[in-house]
Each structure stands twice: as C-alpha cells, then as structure tokens.
Amino acid sequence: MTTRRTILGAAAAAPLAALGLAACSDDDGSGVTLRVGELGAAPVTQELFKAAGLDADLPYAIEWKQFVNAGPEYIEAAGAGAVDVGFTADTPLIFAAANGVPLKAVAATTVDDPATSFNAILAGAGTGISTVADLKGRKVSFQEGTITQYHVVKALESVGLTLDDIETANLPVVDANTALANGEVDAVATLGIYWSQAELAGATLVATGADYFPSIGLLSARTEIIEDAAYTDALADYIDRYGRAQQWRYANLDAWTEQYAALTGLPLDVVTATETRAPVTLGPVTDAIIASQQDQSDGYAALGIIDPLDAADQFDTSFSSAFEA
C-alpha cells in the first residue's frame, strides 16, 4: 500500500521541475531566501534539519526566525511581511484569516494514529477530578483564542455543559502548569511538552483531544510567496525537506530525543514522552483537513470571538503535487 511516507520518499527523489512547479529566479535558486519562522524559545526545527542532514546543499537560503510567543507572534510577523513560512497548530491560521493576515496552509501534518492527540485536559493532584463532568464548578485554565479553549468547549459540550458551568482562567500554557501545581486552578487544558511536564509533576489525565477533534498541524506561507514564481521551487523543496525531517525524527527517536533534551535542557523522560505520544506525517491539504478547520472556525464564531469564516480560504492546494510520486 502506498503511504504518504513512501510518496514523500518518491517526491524527494524527483527533480523539482518534474513536480510541475515554477522555477526560482536563478537556475540554482541562489538569490532566493526563505524566512522560516519557528515557534518557541529553542531552535528545534533547525536542529532537526541538521540532525537529519537536510540543512546542506540547499538551492536557496534559509533565514530562521524564532517566535518565543508562538502562534500569535508568528501571525503578527507574517502580517507585517517579516516571515515567509512556518509550522504551527491549526488554530493560528483561523485567527490569521479573521484578522486579514495573508497566510495560507500549503501542507499539513496529521497523526498516524487517530486515537492519539497533542492536546490534554489535566487535573491537579488531590482535586478529585477524573472525568470531564467533574469539571463542573471547578476552575479550569486555558488560553483564550487557542486550541486549548476549543478543547475545553468541546469536552464540556460532550457532557452537556458549557463554559458557564465552570470558572475559567485565561492563562498561556507556559504559566498554567505553575498555577496548577500551586493549586490556583483545578485543571488545565494544555499540549505538547507542557502536557508531559505537568504529568511528571503529578497532574492526572482527564481527557485528550482525540475524542473531540483531530490533531492537525499546518505548514503555512504568505500568499505573496506562494504566488511569486521566484519562490515556488524553494517553497516546494522546503515542504519536501520538512516532510523528510519528520520521517528521520521518528526513525531515529533515541538519537533525536537526546539531542532535543540537550538543546532545550529539558529532562530526557519529558522529551521522550512528548516525542512518542503522537507521531505525525506531513501530507497535502485534504478535504477532511479543511472540514476540520471549518468546524473549529465555526466553534470560535459561535463563541463570538471571530466572525464566521470560510475555512477553505485558509488553504492553498497548489503544492499537493509535491506529494505525488
């Protein structure tokens, strides 16, 4: 059976010209610089590219840009024309669209196992919370306008509750763990490495996002870059390298988790738990991904956070050929 992993392998072996994409401004791509945004304080994607040997022989230049304040900061920079491409969760693209930022997803990661998720609702030790229904009347932390808020809303809906049935605390995930450990909140909606850190500190799992929405990540680019023939080969090549970096990541987990831990200073068990929780594969934008984005967009609109959106406008499918053999 052909999988997206084998498709990416075949695409990597094919010349970019065979992908039906326009050429860069120079034959070798020189003169083209992709400004790539990375979320968080540590240059994890850069390190991954180096570890996988994908940072050499680039036919264009990469200027890496770090966004410590994650998705919102990346969107702001994209709106100002200060970054060209980056990987985020699905939610930032919704708020980019809501604010008129010319950013579109050109590829997406999905979890290999739909029963896995990046997202969790965790309860503090000694709170007696073990189910979503137990959240009624309790103080729950999430960051407004992010997937953590959407997670809480969908989880509460599943047991006939709403945000009015809980006490809410609007906290970034980086601060929520401290609040949970100090007993300032009873539960948190969190994700990724923060999930692992909270569990290590004694928090217990109430619900993952898998029962409520698929875990999707989006590789997005400014529309100006997508539409500029001088950049399309470079962008196609970056998409391919990003996909191969993910393949290397999961094929070399022991080596990678050690490098990740050394880079960030995080405990190895925290990194390992995060990296093995929900392996992903990069692939093209699909109807199912757009439908999921529409559901989430509608959820924020129903909360009155944004105006209604057509989620299809948040995507560009012209790079799907990069995943064809």
Side-chain angles (χ1 to χ4, degrees):
M1 178 181 294
T2 301
T3 66
R4 277 176 296 177
R5 293 187 189 278
T6 58
I7 286 170
L8 272 168
L16 285 172
L19 300 179
L21 299 171
C24 290
S25 56
D26 297 325
D27 289 343
D28 62 356
S30 61
V32 169
T33 298
L34 282 181
R35 297 169 300 171
V36 178
E38 176 162 23
L39 309 190
V44 177
T45 304
Q46 296 178 57
E47 189 74 10
L48 178 60
F49 269 50
K50 290 178 183 178
L54 294 168
D55 63 328
D57 301 321
L58 285 162
Y60 50 90
I62 291 181
E63 180 183 337
W64 297 95
K65 291 179 172 288
Q66 211 71 31
F67 295 104
V68 176
N69 293 322
E73 187 179 10
Y74 168 73
I75 290 173
E76 182 179 357
V83 67
D84 299 319
V85 61
F87 181 81
T88 68
D90 42 8
T91 308
L93 269 291
I94 294 172
F95 288 89
N99 289 284
V101 176
L103 199 64
K104 291 183 183 289
V106 294
T109 60
T110 53
V111 289
D112 296 341
D113 179 359
T116 62
S117 176
F118 309 135
N119 301 92
I121 296 174
L122 303 173
T127 60
I129 297 171
S130 60
T131 69
V132 172
D134 294 335
L135 296 175
K136 185 174 182 180
R138 309 302 289 271
K139 191 171 185 178
V140 182
S141 167
F142 55 77
Q143 187 171 8
E144 292 179 358
T146 72
I147 191 65
T148 60
Q149 181 177 22
Y150 187 66
H151 190 183
V152 172
V153 169
K154 298 299 287 185
L156 291 175
E157 284 181 355
S158 73
V159 293
L161 301 175
T162 71
L163 291 179
D164 291 336
D165 294 305
I166 64 172
E167 182 181 354
T168 64
N170 179 22
L171 295 174
V173 290
V174 66
D175 298 324
N177 279 1
T178 301
L180 188 68
N182 292 340
E184 296 167 13
V185 298
D186 299 307
V188 297
T190 189
L191 71 167
I193 200 80
Y194 303 104
W195 172 355
S196 304
Q197 289 175 312
E199 281 196 320
L200 187 67
T204 57
L205 181 64
V206 176
T208 75
D211 290 333
Y212 313 110
F213 51 84
S215 284
I216 296 170
L218 299 177
L219 187 63
S220 63
R222 289 193 303 122
T223 54
E224 184 178 350
I225 294 300
I226 295 171
E227 295 167 358
D228 189 338
Y231 285 85
T232 49
D233 273 4
L235 184 53
D237 181 83
Y238 182 79
I239 292 169
D240 173 67
R241 287 174 192 258
Y242 193 95
R244 286 190 283 151
Q246 299 307 313
Q247 292 179 31
W248 185 92
R249 170 188 179 187
Y250 297 115
N252 299 273
L253 268 174
D254 288 345
W256 170 238
T257 52
E258 289 182 4
Q259 287 177 259
Y260 190 158
L263 175 69
T264 60
L266 292 168
L268 182 60
D269 53 353
V270 168
V271 172
T272 300
T274 305
E275 290 296 286
T276 57
R277 180 177 293 123
V280 301
T281 300
L282 187 75
V285 173
T286 65
D287 290 344
I289 288 169
I290 296 174
S292 174
Q293 193 78 340
Q294 187 66 64
D295 287 344
Q296 192 177 157
S297 298
D298 291 346
Y300 292 116
L303 291 171
I305 296 174
I306 61 172
D307 291 330
L309 296 172
D310 183 350
D313 294 337
Q314 299 167 33
F315 298 87
D316 186 290
T317 60
S318 60
F319 289 85
S320 295
S321 57
F323 298 94
E324 296 173 2

